[in-house]
Amino acid sequence: MSWTDERVELLKTMWAEGKSASQIAKELGSVTRNAVIGKVHRLGLSSRTGDASAAAPAAAETAAPAAAPEKAPEPAARVEPAPAPEPEPAAKPEPVAAKPAAAVPPPTSGVSIGVTPVALPGRRQIVPAGQPLPPQPSANEISPEALASVREVEKTARKLSLMELTERTCKWPIGDPATEEFWFCGLPSVAGKPYCEAHVSVAFQPMQARRDRRR
DNA sequence: CCCTGATTCGC
DNA sequence: GCGAATCAGG
């Protein structure tokens, strides 16, 4: 495929929104990030001046490709890009589940039939900061053995922050989101899944096994 | 290692 | 004009 007018327009838009060359390449398809960068330069919009308002959302997109604000009205042309508000997990009142909506809860689609996601840690409802924490995966949902083995694996977690998550890192939350003791597993994720081997095994369980364990 | 954008240069 | 290869950096 080549640089049709529409594709160029898309490129311009996305670039202005602050998306990375690789993201743009992925969305356009049939082009590499190199091609995108090359085009960007030839178009002379490399300095990314058009509009800095959307620069921040782009970062979050790496971890949560779900939905990002497409455009925000910018009153006046800003010369300096607005500094990106850095989401500090422990400082943010919001629960983890609010942001990586696509990351934390197990995917409801793309999962093979007969397998169902189990209750996850941070995901209940909106829990105000300072409130009692949502329980970690409870023992009645996950077998003691599996739980123990996961705890072991978690000792080797990479302890990534929200911003450090990529498509290939395990997005399982570990610890208390309201404190410094919070991070994401970060170990290599299983291809196509949001979690590493260990966490996939607790997140996705055969319906049969799960039913049998219920009280 | 994962990723970023910038540059070069043969096509 | 195009984009792979490469560079420089986080």
Side-chain angles (χ1 to χ4, degrees):
Chain A
M1 200 156 274
S2 58
W3 288 112
T4 61
D5 285 5
E6 344 169 38
R7 287 165 66 80
V8 171
E9 282 313 306
L10 270 172
L11 165 60
K12 285 180 180 173
T13 305
M14 291 169 129
W15 185 260
E17 282 172 358
K19 298 192 177 180
S20 74
S22 60
Q23 283 181 312
I24 296 173
K26 203 189 306 171
E27 295 191 36
L28 283 177
S30 307
V31 278
T32 63
R33 75 179 195 94
N34 274 319
V36 169
I37 292 174
K39 188 61 180 174
V40 160
H41 278 230
R42 270 171 254 125
L43 288 172
L45 34 71
S46 63
S47 47
R48 236 167 201 176
T49 307
D51 170 14
S53 66
E61 202 153 57
T62 302
E70 284 308 327
K71 270 189 176 174
E74 182 72 16
R78 206 138 270 157
V79 182
E80 284 285 315
E86 179 186 317
E88 177 56 52
K92 278 284 181 183
E94 305 155 66
V96 232
K99 301 278 215 11
V104 178
T108 51
S109 63
V111 177
S112 55
I113 308 167
V115 174
T116 186
V118 78
L120 278 178
R123 150 157 167 271
R124 317 231 134 177
Q125 296 166 350
I126 309 299
V127 179
Q131 287 302 301
L133 292 167
Q136 292 289 298
S138 50
N140 65 326
E141 288 281 1
I142 300 170
S143 73
E145 312 84 64
L147 187 64
S149 108
V150 167
R151 284 284 138 74
E152 275 311 303
V153 173
E154 287 179 0
K155 290 178 183 171
T156 66
R158 290 179 60 203
K159 303 188 178 183
L160 298 185
S161 72
L162 179 60
M163 304 305 288
E164 292 170 318
L165 295 176
T166 75
E167 286 178 10
R168 303 181 187 184
T169 59
C170 178
K171 300 168 191 64
W172 190 270
I174 300 174
D176 178 349
T179 70
E180 299 295 331
E181 284 278 291
F182 179 74
W183 49 75
F184 292 92
C185 174
L187 292 173
S189 60
V190 173
K193 297 228 164 49
Y195 309 121
C196 67
E197 195 89 46
H199 288 130
V200 160
S201 71
V202 293
F204 304 103
Q205 299 180 32
M207 290 191 299
Q208 183 63 47
R210 200 184 161 207
R211 191 195 62 197
D212 289 349
R213 222 183 294 87
R214 277 191 85 159
R215 278 180 285 164

